Amino acid sequence: MRVEPVPLGSVFRSRAKEEKAPTADKAPVTDSKQPRDPQAPKGRPTPKRSEAQTRRRSVANTSMTRKEATKRQRDERRAQMERQRQALASGDERYLPKRDKGPVRRFARDFVDSRLNVAEFFLPLAVLILVLSMVRDPKVQSLVMLVWLAVIVVIVLDWTVTGFRLKKRLNERFPDQDKRWAVAYALMRSLQMRRLRLPKPQVKRGERP
C-alpha cells in the first residue's frame, strides 16, 4: 500500500504568521487623504480652533502667579488712568470718564464754556470775602455780608437763566436722547474757573456751540 507524502510546509509553518494574518485582514482601512493636525495626538480627532485657543488661554491664566496677576492689573489700571488724563486734556470721547461721555454732556460743556458765567468767580470772591471778614471793624463786616449776599443772589439768577437756556437748547438738539442731570452737570462746571475745568474747554468765549 503506497502512502502519500505529507507536505512539511504546513507542519513547520510559523504560528505567529498565522495569528497576525487575520488581524491584518480585519484592520480598518483609513483614508490617508484626510488632513490631520500635526500637534493632535494619535487616535483623537483634531480639536477646533476655538477650543484650542480656549485651552491655551486657560493654561496661560493658570500658569500666572498671584503676584504677576496683581502687577498686571496694576499696570492696566495705571494705563487706563493715563488715557483718561490725556482724554480730559484733549477731549477724546473714547477714554473720558462715564460722567463726561456722550454728545449731550459735550454740548453742555461747550454751552457753559462759550459764555462768561458769574459763578466761575465764586471761589475767588469767597476767598476775598473770607479775608475781609477777619477785619474787626463792624462797618467792614457789614459791608462784607452785603457783598456776600449780593454774590449769592447774582449767582442764583445766573444759574436760573443758564439752566433755562441750556434745557431749551438740549431739547431742540437732542429730542430723543437721555438728558438727565445734564443741566446740573453744566451748572456745576460753571462754578469752576475756566482754566481749571476738566475736560478742558474746546470752544472759545462767544463761540456758538
Side-chain angles (χ1 to χ4, degrees):
M1 184 177 180
R2 187 177 178 181
V3 179
E4 295 292 335
V6 179
L8 298 179
S10 60
V11 177
F12 296 100
R13 183 182 299 175
S14 174
R15 296 184 61 186
K17 293 182 179 180
E18 291 178 357
E19 293 175 357
K20 290 181 180 180
T23 304
D25 295 336
K26 296 179 181 180
V29 179
T30 58
D31 189 3
S32 60
K33 295 182 181 180
Q34 182 179 1
R36 187 180 68 86
D37 190 355
Q39 297 181 354
K42 293 182 178 180
R44 297 180 183 177
T46 303
K48 296 181 180 180
R49 180 178 298 178
S50 58
E51 296 176 354
Q53 290 178 351
T54 304
R55 189 178 301 131
R56 286 196 297 268
R57 192 179 299 113
S58 61
V59 172
N61 292 337
T62 53
S63 63
M64 184 181 299
T65 63
R66 179 178 299 179
K67 184 177 180 180
E68 293 173 347
T70 304
K71 183 178 181 299
R72 182 176 180 181
Q73 292 178 357
R74 185 169 59 251
D75 294 340
E76 291 178 353
R77 193 182 309 114
R78 188 177 303 158
Q80 183 179 4
M81 293 178 62
E82 178 62 22
R83 289 194 297 267
Q84 284 190 1
R85 187 187 66 81
Q86 295 178 359
L88 289 172
S90 63
D92 190 352
E93 287 281 343
R94 295 176 299 173
Y95 304 114
L96 284 177
K98 186 177 181 180
R99 65 181 179 86
D100 299 314
K101 281 186 177 181
V104 174
R105 296 299 174 97
R106 183 181 182 89
F107 182 84
R109 292 195 303 270
D110 292 344
F111 184 86
V112 170
D113 297 336
S114 64
R115 61 195 304 271
L116 181 63
N117 304 279
V118 179
E120 64 184 280
F121 301 105
F122 173 78
L123 291 179
L125 289 174
V127 174
L128 179 61
I129 290 173
L130 180 62
V131 173
L132 293 176
S133 64
M134 296 179 182
V135 179
R136 296 303 178 181
D137 190 345
K139 294 182 180 180
V140 174
Q141 290 185 355
S142 299
L143 180 62
V144 167
M145 289 300 297
L146 289 175
V147 172
W148 181 247
L149 289 175
V151 168
I152 297 298
V153 170
V154 171
I155 289 177
V156 170
L157 291 176
D158 184 60
W159 268 6
T160 304
V161 175
T162 302
F164 177 78
R165 291 179 177 176
L166 177 58
K167 186 175 182 179
K168 182 179 179 181
R169 295 286 302 277
L170 287 174
N171 290 331
E172 294 173 356
R173 183 72 66 90
F174 310 100
D176 300 328
Q177 296 194 29
D178 185 11
K179 298 177 286 294
R180 289 179 300 176
W181 304 106
V183 175
Y185 170 80
L187 295 180
M188 293 303 298
R189 182 178 178 84
S190 67
L191 270 175
Q192 304 171 352
M193 299 179 65
R194 181 181 173 88
R195 67 180 63 182
L196 300 180
R197 293 172 184 172
L198 291 175
K200 293 290 184 181
Q202 302 297 315
V203 296
K204 298 179 180 180
R205 290 192 190 274
E207 184 178 354
R208 188 179 180 86

